[in-house]
Amino acid sequence: MRVVVLGGGIIGTASAWFLRRDGHEVTLVERQPAVALETSFANAGQVSASQSEPWANPAAPLKMLQWLGKEDAPLLFRPSADLQQWLWGLQFLFHCTPASTRSNLRACLRLALHGRKTLQELRRELGLEYDQLERGILHFYDDPAQFEAAKATAAVMRELGCDRRAVSAQQAIEIEPALAPMREKIAGADYCAEDESGDILKFTQQLARHAEARGVRMLFNHLTTRVLTSGGRANRVEVVTPDGWHEYLEADAVVVALGSYSRELLLPLGVHLPLYPGKGYSATFEIVDPARAPTVSVTDDGQKVAVTRLGNRLRIAGTAELSGFSRDLNPARCAMLTRRVRELFPDACDYDKPRYWTGLRPMTPSNVPLMGRTRVPNLYVNTGHGTLGWTMGAGAGQIIADLVAGRKPAVELRAVR
Ligand SMILES: Cc1cc2nc3c(=O)[nH]c(=O)nc-3n(C[C@H](O)[C@H](O)[C@H](O)COP(=O)(O)OP(=O)(O)OC[C@H]3O[C@@H](n4cnc5c(N)ncnc54)[C@H](O)[C@@H]3O)c2cc1C
């Protein structure tokens, strides 16, 4: 089959790889000059099944209200006149019930565990090197109440096969000695030894090179403008070429993996995806004292940020702003990241030379991604992986290849409406 994959982030690239492995004639269309230059560029680097709790949970509404208007709040809803933002917000509230949170946690965790396993298999098979560290993820709490509440989540995760365990502050320091300066502030932590970390950009670009070597046609600097249908099936994709011409790509199947931009492309076809961009930030620093920089990837629950070592760099990332598609830097958020990483790991890096970045997580209100066939039978979506796109990415590629081939995917999926 001729399969056109739209979008060259981690999701589109992994989809193209697995589709090609099934023997399809695959074309990947990406508006940037290479893969992974948008949301899959400088994220927190955590391959973290243990962080599968959805943002929509019973505690979220009150916290979001308290954070309203605070420029450096971990999660900031910036109300606008955009109807889609309000609809998304209402659906998010609907998912904050205990029952919905439990069900969404289960769905996300299954996909995350499958993603982590598939990523490890790909790494072994292709010999990928991306500053990966297999040292686990340590999630620490400064609030004893949050630490207690997290124990219940950890128990559910263990039931579902994710070995996330509560550890004392002392044990946390033994797992990651670079956290010693924070000893007095840590109430407790969760540790998942099987989670890992690594650079999504390096991984995705290497995977793309392997995909190209195996015959995937990469169309970079090509903007997708439309998917056309005939007789109820998607049969052509309209693109604008680097020199400005409109061209059509013939297709037997189309996979839409445009991250936050997937919704807009599909609206004319009557496919309404509950998707909104969740803007996040990162700051990356050169390490000057390796002994003071962590090797275990660390999540700081109080500030909702993660710190990951990527070779000789240290990156802090996190926060979310629901404020549309702007990727402008907010100085208050940048300053918060630099201040916090300096507090956590003093003198580990040259903190005077930050490299800032923002990216738009493709967020669904439930946190559960949108993967599967749409009302147009040969048009598939693979998006909405939100906070866990790096963790789920490789597995998401494999799942979409299964669906296109008509095979039962390795993970049970919710219906995509
Ligand atoms: C601050 C931050 C920290 C994060 N940390 C983690 C983490 O630690 N662990 C984790 O698992 N996940 C993390 N994530 C989430 C993860 O990075 C994303 O879920 C993932 O990168 C999304 O990948 P994607 O392929 O869906 O989207 P993208 O990477 O955005 O790919 C979509 C592609 O489509 C292209 N495109 C869009 N429109 C068009 C068009 N019209 N024509 C052609 N091309 C187009 C874009 O250029 C882009 O390359 C983080 C995200 C952020 C922002």
Side-chain angles (χ1 to χ4, degrees):
M1 263 201 302
R2 293 162 304 175
V3 186
V4 178
V5 177
L6 305 180
I10 179 66
I11 304 296
T13 305
S15 303
W17 166 262
F18 282 104
L19 286 160
R20 179 67 195 136
R21 210 155 78 169
D22 274 352
H24 300 298
E25 198 182 296
V26 181
T27 302
L28 184 146
V29 186
E30 167 56 52
R31 64 181 169 190
Q32 298 284 354
V35 297
L37 295 184
E38 296 214 358
T39 315
S40 306
F41 181 71
N43 73 5
Q46 295 190 327
V47 178
S48 48
S50 67
Q51 313 280 294
S52 297
E53 297 113 304
W55 281 3
N57 60 62
L62 182 63
K63 278 193 200 154
M64 282 174 78
L65 265 182
Q66 288 164 343
W67 287 331
L68 266 182
K70 274 195 173 172
E71 283 305 317
D72 60 354
L75 178 56
L76 181 61
F77 182 78
R78 205 188 286 284
S80 72
D82 176 3
L83 179 65
Q84 173 58 13
Q85 186 197 38
W86 287 95
L87 286 175
W88 189 96
L90 279 176
Q91 288 173 284
F92 178 89
L93 286 179
F94 169 77
H95 281 286
C96 288
T97 61
S100 195
T101 306
R102 265 195 308 278
S103 146
N104 294 335
L105 166 65
R106 281 167 199 271
C108 288
L109 183 59
R110 284 197 193 101
L111 289 167
L113 287 170
H114 174 65
R116 193 178 70 189
K117 181 168 142 283
T118 313
L119 173 133
Q120 291 164 346
E121 286 165 3
L122 270 184
R123 176 172 69 223
R124 278 195 293 275
E125 180 186 339
L126 302 175
L128 306 176
E129 293 286 339
Y130 49 97
D131 293 328
Q132 69 268 27
L133 285 170
E134 294 164 72
R135 308 252 306 125
I137 289 179
L138 185 71
H139 185 143
F140 74 85
Y141 303 84
D142 49 15
D143 177 351
Q146 293 292 339
F147 177 45
E148 281 309 310
K151 286 181 182 165
T153 311
V156 175
M157 289 199 170
R158 283 199 300 278
E159 255 172 51
L160 293 168
C162 175
D163 195 12
R164 171 171 142 177
R165 298 196 170 267
V167 295
S168 67
Q170 182 52 35
Q171 286 169 316
I173 307 292
E174 283 161 18
I175 292 166
E176 181 42 75
L179 272 177
M182 294 298 291
R183 171 72 186 83
E184 296 313 313
K185 296 199 175 125
I186 297 178
D190 291 317
Y191 182 53
C192 178
E194 283 142 18
D195 275 341
E196 30 185 271
S197 57
D199 187 335
I200 184 172
L201 168 68
K202 290 187 178 176
F203 179 95
T204 311
Q205 294 202 332
Q206 284 175 39
L207 183 59
R209 278 198 286 277
H210 283 282
E212 201 169 8
R214 301 255 177 118
V216 172
R217 183 160 73 121
M218 298 282 178
L219 296 182
F220 294 127
N221 297 306
H222 279 65
L223 179 75
T224 302
T225 42
R226 264 198 307 169
V227 175
L228 292 112
T229 56
S230 167
R233 295 179 68 81
N235 67 336
R236 286 195 302 168
V237 174
E238 184 185 86
V239 297
V240 181
T241 65
D243 46 1
W245 298 104
H246 280 73
E247 281 182 3
Y248 295 97
L249 307 171
E250 306 291 326
D252 301 308
V254 177
V255 175
V256 178
L258 298 174
S260 296
Y261 299 88
S262 306
R263 182 174 180 276
E264 204 185 353
L265 187 87
L266 292 176
L267 280 177
L269 298 173
V271 177
H272 296 258
L273 302 181
L275 209 56
Y276 198 78
K279 181 179 180 181
Y281 286 72
S282 73
T284 307
F285 304 87
E286 288 299 315
I287 294 174
V288 291
D289 186 347
R292 287 173 187 254
T295 54
V296 174
S297 179
V298 167
T299 300
D300 168 1
D301 192 74
Q303 296 292 323
K304 306 274 183 262
V305 291
V307 183
T308 297
R309 183 161 180 165
L310 299 165
N312 59 356
R313 298 163 297 153
L314 194 64
R315 177 172 300 155
I316 179 165
T319 83
E321 213 174 309
L322 298 166
S323 57
F325 284 83
S326 154
R327 287 186 60 203
D328 296 352
L329 286 179
N330 177 335
R333 289 185 169 265
C334 295
M336 184 281 280
L337 289 180
T338 302
R339 192 172 57 242
R340 188 57 180 164
V341 68
R342 196 194 282 263
E343 272 165 20
L344 294 173
F345 305 107
D347 306 319
C349 299
D350 180 353
Y351 291 117
D352 293 331
K353 291 188 190 144
R355 302 204 78 179
Y356 292 118
W357 169 83
T358 74
L360 303 175
R361 303 175 184 92
M363 299 290 306
T364 63
S366 62
N367 262 54
V368 181
L370 303 160
M371 301 163 66
R373 228 171 65 171
T374 64
R375 63 202 290 271
V376 180
N378 61 340
L379 176 64
Y380 298 81
V381 287
N382 200 2
T383 188
H385 301 82
T387 54
L388 285 173
W390 172 213
T391 308
M392 294 174 175
Q398 191 187 55
I399 288 172
I400 215 73
D402 285 342
L403 294 173
V404 171
R407 290 188 298 263
K408 189 172 181 301
V411 180
E412 195 186 308
L413 297 172
R414 286 189 191 168
V416 177
R417 283 183 293 274

